[in-house]
Amino acid sequence: MSEPDVDALPQRWQDLLPAASSRRRFLSLTGGGALAALLAACAPSAAGDAAAGATAGPGTARRGGTLRVGTPPPPTALDPVTAYDGSAIALYQLVADYLIWLDKDYELVPRLATAWTSDRTGRIWTFTLREGVVFSDGTRLDADTVKASFDRLLDPKGRSAALSAFDTVLKAGGVRADGATKVVFTLERPFSDFPYLVSAGNYNAVVLKKDYAGDFAEHGVGTGPFVLTSYDVSTGASFTRNPRYWDAPKPHLDGVEVKFYADDQADLLALQGGDVDTQFLSRAALVEPLGDGGGDLVVDEVRSTAVTVLTLRVDRAPFDRKEVRQAVAHALDRPALRQAAGSGLGDLGNDHLFAPLFRSAPTDLPQRTRDKEKVTALLKQAGIDSLRFTLTFDPPNKDYAVTLQSQLKEAGITVDLDQRTSKEFYGGDQTKDTPWLFTDANLVNWAGRPVPSQLVNPMVRSGGVWNGSKYANKALDAAADAYDAATDDAERRRQAGIIARILHEDVPLVIGFWNGNTRASRRSFRGIEAHPSQYVDLSAVSRA
């Protein structure tokens, strides 16, 4: 299984762990539970959190207060099973909880599950549930409830986005309850990173009541830190603290008020004007300047695995020739693209799906750079005198598209821009004509994933559920299977290197840079952080 990055822990914690050669076995046997206990023992006492009031010290949480948050209105229904936009996800994460949370370093943090282990085959995973947890209406959490939640996600008729993460790994019927406190998942194939698929890394995987009927906006019941008290699709939502929350004395806030704003500029003005205290979805280009003056606002920044991908259809001209795809990749000035479209944040991309933030990312692959002479030579090799193609995208990627168009023009490649509304871009029949999967070239935003398999499997495996390039390569498929099954770091890095080199050579995807994420907030609140997946954990937030 995948474990926390022990090498990133403070040295005083590393010294208490087994030697490097035995760390993986130590963590696989404990499912991270022992490490969590170890870290809890080394960390400051949580007793200080209970000391609320105006006399609280610098490191002590103060009880009370209402946090005001700005965000765009969700374009999808507020349904944890099917929602896929950042605003809806942030809203239901205040109410519903996961078996496992992910911190800002993508480390696994026990929530409703306290431990997880796998058998020797890597196909059977057993999760132990936290005892004494109840939903906000008093219903007790048990294994049958967790099973029902995942059965719901795995039902093809439910149209959950979670199905993409479980594709080829877990199917309907693969979950069973073992008594009241254990849930057993039987996988279709070995998958050592499976805990990430039932964590916040699979954003629909929150645990809901057995009788959940899709009416979350009216009857949002969960085991999370807050209770939904009102929701208006036009104006916003209100939440109060959940007195039954399992992680007492959290939450420290009395409540959260969410206000919807029509666009990023309106959201920004509300933050600057003091109408809100933070944002769910801070846009780096807008909020980065706010944190430089030492005023009332602070901006937190974090690396991410979120990425905008230029997808090229390899099954029809002109991108059926590898040389043409390589020419496009060599036409990019990646640092300039990152500056123009990403506010200079994040890591440069190298046309494979292993972000530098991933532990298994290869480090020996030369960084692709702009080379106009090579662009000309590659097009000539493909028998093309001049290249012209249409790039399809939705409004959030306009800056990226315009910059791409300009850079490729300088290299002799003409790009016609085809902007669609987000509804149109992601609409249509997902199996045959939706623009984001079936146009010749397009730009797609991918939210940050905690493990590379969540990108590799849906995007570039043969027949992958979100394979917009229509790319297929048996050697890559084999390496992806081996990567997913491997439990040894060296073997994972070896297989990652194989996958990365294949993608770097064949270029079904062009990746200019990996995003950095930001979150702006007022200094009057403590504990608001940026997250690589844009999530926000408000359970520990308090007045400063």
Side-chain angles (χ1 to χ4, degrees):
M1 65 171 289
S2 177
E3 78 282 4
D5 184 355
V6 295
D7 296 323
L9 295 174
Q11 187 60 50
R12 65 190 178 93
W13 287 344
Q14 289 188 45
D15 292 343
L16 296 175
L17 293 175
S21 61
S22 60
R23 284 172 178 169
R24 177 171 290 279
R25 175 165 176 77
F26 169 77
L27 292 166
S28 67
L29 290 175
T30 63
L35 179 60
L38 173 63
L39 301 190
C42 297
S45 171
D49 288 350
T55 59
T60 304
R62 297 177 64 197
R63 176 62 58 83
T66 297
L67 182 74
R68 301 165 302 165
V69 186
T71 195
T76 58
L78 185 59
D79 180 356
V81 177
T82 59
Y84 56 80
D85 67 280
S87 292
I89 293 168
L91 289 168
Y92 69 66
Q93 284 180 345
L94 295 178
V95 176
D97 213 341
Y98 298 87
L99 293 178
I100 305 168
W101 182 251
L102 297 174
D103 70 10
K104 65 187 300 182
D105 296 314
Y106 277 149
E107 305 294 356
L108 296 167
V109 179
R111 283 280 178 93
L112 300 182
T114 58
W116 44 91
T117 58
S118 69
D119 68 347
R120 291 182 178 276
T121 70
R123 289 187 60 236
I124 300 177
W125 287 83
T126 302
F127 287 70
T128 302
L129 303 183
R130 187 180 301 277
E131 296 188 29
V133 176
V134 296
F135 286 85
S136 57
D137 67 354
T139 303
R140 184 169 296 278
L141 174 75
D142 60 15
D144 284 332
T145 303
V146 175
K147 176 186 181 302
S149 285
F150 284 96
D151 286 345
R152 189 181 297 116
L153 296 177
L154 292 165
D155 182 358
K157 296 179 181 178
R159 297 178 291 109
S160 176
L163 282 170
S164 65
F166 292 131
D167 187 45
T168 78
V169 178
L170 179 66
K171 292 184 179 180
V175 188
R176 66 179 176 86
D178 181 8
T181 62
K182 293 186 184 296
V183 182
V184 180
F185 297 85
T186 301
L187 311 187
E188 297 296 305
R189 59 188 177 92
F191 200 92
S192 58
D193 275 336
F194 180 70
Y196 285 96
L197 301 191
V198 296
S199 76
N202 191 358
Y203 49 80
N204 296 114
V206 291
V207 176
L208 304 172
K209 289 183 62 178
K210 283 188 284 188
D211 60 356
Y212 176 68
D215 53 351
F216 195 83
E218 294 79 27
H219 305 287
V221 176
T223 59
F226 295 95
V227 177
L228 177 64
T229 56
S230 69
Y231 178 73
D232 186 294
V233 295
S234 301
T235 60
S238 297
F239 302 82
T240 58
R241 70 186 309 272
N242 179 7
R244 293 187 169 103
Y245 186 46
W246 59 267
D247 195 14
K250 299 176 183 176
H252 308 303
L253 298 170
D254 287 333
V256 178
E257 291 289 333
V258 180
K259 301 180 180 182
F260 294 158
Y261 293 94
D263 52 47
D264 291 336
Q265 287 291 343
D267 198 357
L268 178 69
L269 290 174
L271 181 67
Q272 291 177 303
D275 291 332
V276 298
D277 304 304
T278 188
Q279 301 169 308
F280 281 150
L281 306 173
S282 290
R283 184 178 172 188
L286 297 178
V287 303
E288 275 289 302
L290 303 180
D292 298 334
D296 185 38
L297 295 173
V298 61
V299 179
D300 190 33
E301 178 185 315
V302 68
R303 295 168 72 197
S304 174
T305 61
V307 64
T308 298
V309 175
L310 170 58
T311 305
L312 305 175
R313 283 282 298 264
V314 305
D315 60 339
R316 59 191 190 196
F319 300 120
D320 55 341
R321 292 293 301 266
K322 177 173 67 175
E323 297 86 358
V324 177
R325 304 192 299 270
Q326 291 175 339
V328 172
H330 280 288
L332 293 188
D333 180 343
R334 293 163 199 259
L337 179 63
R338 177 178 60 180
Q339 187 62 46
S343 301
L345 303 179
D347 301 297
L348 292 183
N350 204 19
D351 305 329
H352 60 74
L353 291 170
F354 290 84
L357 194 57
F358 291 138
R359 292 183 61 192
S360 56
T363 57
D364 59 348
L365 199 58
Q367 174 64 53
R368 185 162 274 154
T369 58
R370 192 175 210 187
D371 189 335
K372 296 180 183 179
E373 292 183 359
K374 195 161 190 174
V375 171
T376 302
L378 285 165
L379 292 179
K380 183 177 181 180
Q381 186 178 343
I384 297 176
D385 294 328
S386 62
L387 175 61
R388 183 170 192 159
F389 67 91
T390 299
L391 177 63
T392 306
F393 59 96
D394 68 336
N397 281 321
K398 183 177 180 179
D399 289 347
Y400 201 115
V402 170
T403 305
L404 236 163
Q405 180 189 47
S406 176
Q407 290 193 359
L408 266 61
K409 182 179 181 180
E410 293 173 2
I413 299 173
T414 301
V415 179
D416 299 314
L417 300 184
D418 173 28
Q419 180 173 311
R420 314 281 185 94
T421 66
S422 294
K423 183 177 181 179
E424 181 184 5
F425 184 69
Y426 291 105
D429 188 328
Q430 301 294 303
T431 64
K432 64 181 181 181
D433 62 12
T434 183
W436 79 283
L437 292 177
F438 288 94
T439 47
D440 289 348
N442 57 66
L443 292 173
V444 175
N445 283 333
W446 291 80
R449 265 68 171 181
V451 290
S453 297
Q454 287 181 282
L455 297 173
V456 172
N457 289 326
M459 292 172 66
V460 292
R461 277 179 81 95
S462 302
V465 64
W466 287 338
N467 187 336
S469 67
K470 313 311 173 193
Y471 179 71
N473 185 305
K474 291 182 179 179
L476 183 146
D477 294 345
D481 282 341
Y483 180 92
D484 290 343
T487 57
D488 176 77
D489 281 342
E491 177 62 12
R492 304 197 96 192
R493 290 191 178 98
R494 189 176 79 84
Q495 298 299 335
I498 293 172
I499 297 169
R501 284 189 291 273
I502 290 173
L503 292 175
H504 187 265
E505 171 68 18
D506 288 351
V507 205
L509 312 171
V510 179
I511 297 177
F513 64 94
W514 298 87
N515 295 343
N517 282 340
T518 57
R519 178 161 285 119
S521 62
R522 313 204 85 76
R523 296 183 189 274
S524 52
F525 287 89
R526 176 190 298 139
I528 300 174
E529 298 181 324
H531 190 279
S533 288
Q534 281 286 28
Y535 297 160
V536 54
D537 180 7
L538 298 185
S539 67
V541 171
S542 67
R543 293 178 296 155

